[in-house]
Every structure is written in C-alpha cells, then in structure tokens.
Amino acid sequence: MTIIRNHLFWPATALIALLVVNVAFTPGFLSIRVQDGHLYGSLIDILRYGSPLVLISLGMTLVIATRGIDLSVGTVVAIAGALACLHISTMPDQTDAGGVAVAVLIALGVAVALGLWNGILVARFGIQPIVATLILMVAGRGVAQLITSGQIITVNSPPYKVIGGGYLLGLPVPVLVAAAVFAGLAALLRRSALGLLLESVGGNAEAARLVGIRAGGLIVAVYAVCACCAAVAGLMISSNVSAADGNNAGLWIELDAILAVVIGGTALTGGRFQLGGTVLGALVIQTLTTTIYTVGVPPETTLVSKAVVVIAVCLVQSPAFRAKVFRRRRRRRLGPVIASTPTEANT
C-alpha cells in the first residue's frame, strides 16, 4: 500500500501499460539500435518528441505550485520559433553559428519579457492568472502571425537544426537539454529553500507575505522561467522542421502541459509540487500519442481517445475515487455475510 500511495506510482504504471500496448501491436517497439554512433528506436523517438512538452510542463509546474496557471505557453512557443527563424532567414549565411546564437538569444529574451509581463499582471496588479495569461494567449498568437506575415518561414541552417534534430554523445540534443533543465530545477528547488518558499506561497500567499516571504517576486520569477522553458521548446519544434508556423506552432500544447502536471501528482490548488511526476506525466502523454498512431486509431477520433485515457488515469490517481470504488466492492462482499448473520445466530 505504501508503493501505491507514492505520487510516482500511477503515472509510472500508466506509462508501462502504454508501452505494453505498443509492444503488443509492434513486437520490436522497445528495441534500440545504434547507427553512426547515434541511438535510434521508438523509445528514443518518444523521448525526443516529448522533450518540448517536458520543458513546458516543468515550467508549468512551478507556476501551478504558486496557485497560478499559464495559458500563454503555446503562444510563446510560436513567437520564439517565429523570431528565431525570421532572424536566420535574413542572414546572408545561414550556416553562421554566431548568427544562430543571436537568433536564439533574441527569442529567449523576448520570451522572458513576456513571462515577466504575465507575472507582473498577476503579482502586482492582482489579475487572475487565467485571465492575465489568456490575454497573451490570444494577442500573442496574432503577434506570431505578424512576425511571420501569415506565412510559414523556412530556413536551411545546419547549426539551428542541431537544437531540435542534432545528437550529442549518441543521444538527441532535445533529450539532453530537457534532462539538464530538469536536473537544474530539481537541484535548485530541492537542495535549497526556494522549493519550500514556492510551496509556502502556493499554500497561502498572504501568510507567506506576513512571515516575510516576497511572494510577488517569486510569482514574477516563476512566470519568467515558464516562458523561458516554452521558448526553448519553441526553438526545438521549429528547429526540428526547419520552419516557423505562427498559426499552428504550439497550438493547444498548454493543455497537454497542464494535464502532464496533474497526472504527475501536482494539485492545481497550489502548494506541493512534483517535478519527477511531471516528467512522467509528459512522457505518458507523448507515449499515448504514439500509441494512438501505432494502434491505428482513426484521425477523427484521436482526441476523443486521448481524452478517455487521460481521464481514466486521473480517476485512478484520485484517492477519493479509489476510496469510493473500494468501499462499494467491500460492501458487496460483506453484504451476504451481514445478511446471513441473524440466520446463523438463530440456528
């Protein structure tokens, strides 16, 4: 029972179950091969294509820990990719690594500014997080389309391609970047008092302020970090396809990020958060997407199938749901015994 109560148990179980389903339909699904010194296989693809969602979900976890929400991460994905690709497309030599580095810095700088904007609206002006970030979600998508002039900007830059499609030490670069961000955040939040401060702000912001915690500064900071994570994810996505689409890039990815956080065991009410659970939740969603395509679910029912599986995982995770189900089963089992007790006593 102790294992079941662990916050990592249910997302890990869901991930294993999805992998088993894939193996049933594709016997060689778990196989990993080495080609030209690089690792290839379905598991590597899940890690690679799931890395942008992992990054966004990690940033979302910090925001949710402060009892907030960020609906603008998909828009930041689009803006970051659009800015980087626009700058690279105007370069006389797209193979120039220095120019690509400038494009990346521009994208990250603008993303941090957008995150600060969200944080200031929430912390300084008291606007509800869902409203404050909804403003940028709607307006930012239009900004991304203005940057791209409503067109898909394509680039042919090998240095930029490395961000989303390159390999280092045999592993995809996006996987290494996501792992580095996770390790950095885990070390920063769990090896210092910063994680406890975030949980205090999310648990009771007013009480945290009264004991001297600068809740406003922390809230602004987590929105900036979340936007920065989304920007890196946007660079990965645009780099992987060597193009920027202001209309469709990162569309609805904020919902997947929120689901990943919830599946990972972090409550939307703020307070305690689980970075490891968030990573598992993101991998569950990416594996689920892969499973849907592997099984051959019709495209028109893909979203419905995804929603059914996600709600099933969330219900199984819910202590209240499990308590009600087990209580009913216990009553059914004890019912005949209780009913037969008076008869046995009379005999």
Side-chain angles (χ1 to χ4, degrees):
M1 295 298 294
T2 305
I3 298 178
I4 294 178
R5 292 175 183 174
N6 190 292
H7 67 276
L8 296 178
F9 176 80
W10 291 111
T13 301
L15 181 60
I16 293 172
L18 289 172
L19 293 176
V20 170
V21 171
N22 279 280
V23 171
F25 282 87
T26 309
F29 185 82
L30 298 180
S31 62
I32 297 177
R33 69 184 187 277
V34 179
Q35 183 177 341
D36 298 329
H38 301 157
L39 296 178
Y40 292 92
S42 298
L43 292 180
I44 301 299
D45 289 340
I46 289 174
L47 293 175
R48 176 183 173 185
Y49 293 115
S51 294
L53 180 58
V54 169
L55 285 173
I56 296 174
S57 301
L58 288 173
M60 187 71 74
T61 301
L62 303 184
V63 172
I64 290 177
T66 61
R67 199 177 290 186
I69 201 78
D70 191 346
L71 299 180
S72 66
V73 288
T75 293
V76 175
V77 166
I79 291 176
L83 286 172
C85 288
L86 177 63
H87 180 80
I88 294 173
S89 66
T90 60
M91 290 168 48
D93 182 12
Q94 295 190 11
T95 63
D96 180 18
V100 172
V102 171
V104 171
L105 290 176
I106 291 173
L108 293 179
V110 172
V112 170
L114 294 175
L116 292 174
W117 167 259
N118 283 335
I120 290 172
L121 289 181
V122 174
R124 303 302 183 190
F125 295 98
I127 299 177
Q128 289 293 327
I130 192 171
V131 177
T133 57
L134 183 63
I135 295 171
L136 181 57
M137 175 186 177
V138 176
R141 185 65 62 175
V143 171
Q145 294 185 40
L146 287 174
I147 294 172
T148 61
S149 299
Q151 306 295 321
I152 297 178
I153 300 177
T154 58
V155 295
N156 184 18
S157 175
Y160 188 65
K161 185 71 175 178
V162 171
I163 299 175
Y167 283 82
L168 181 64
L169 302 176
L171 291 172
V173 170
V175 176
L176 296 176
V177 172
V181 171
F182 168 73
L185 288 177
L188 180 63
L189 297 175
R190 295 309 185 190
R191 298 289 182 179
S192 69
L194 185 57
L196 182 60
L197 295 179
L198 284 179
E199 292 178 344
S200 301
V201 172
N204 191 323
E206 182 61 21
R209 185 187 66 81
L210 292 176
V211 298
I213 299 175
R214 299 182 61 181
L218 283 175
I219 292 174
V220 173
V222 295
Y223 277 96
V225 171
C226 184
C228 188
C229 289
V232 176
L235 295 174
M236 289 179 179
I237 293 172
S238 61
S239 166
N240 194 44
V241 296
S242 297
D245 185 353
N247 186 41
N248 296 311
L251 192 62
W252 308 126
I253 199 170
E254 59 272 0
L255 302 183
D256 281 345
I258 295 171
L259 282 175
V261 174
V262 173
I263 291 174
T266 299
L268 293 177
T269 51
R272 298 187 64 85
F273 60 92
Q274 310 292 345
L275 291 178
T278 294
V279 173
L280 281 178
L283 293 179
V284 166
I285 292 177
Q286 182 59 45
T287 306
L288 175 58
T289 302
T290 302
T291 304
I292 288 173
Y293 291 121
T294 300
V295 174
V297 175
E300 60 272 14
T301 62
T302 297
L303 294 178
V304 176
S305 303
K306 188 175 180 179
V308 170
V309 175
V310 169
I311 190 62
V313 174
C314 291
L315 286 176
V316 171
Q317 267 190 296
S318 170
F321 177 80
R322 294 201 306 271
K324 290 182 180 180
V325 172
F326 292 146
R327 191 178 303 161
R328 289 179 180 177
R329 289 183 177 179
R330 191 175 303 170
R331 287 177 179 175
R332 290 178 182 176
R333 292 178 181 176
L334 297 180
V337 177
I338 296 174
S340 62
T341 301
T343 305
E344 293 176 357
N346 293 332
T347 57

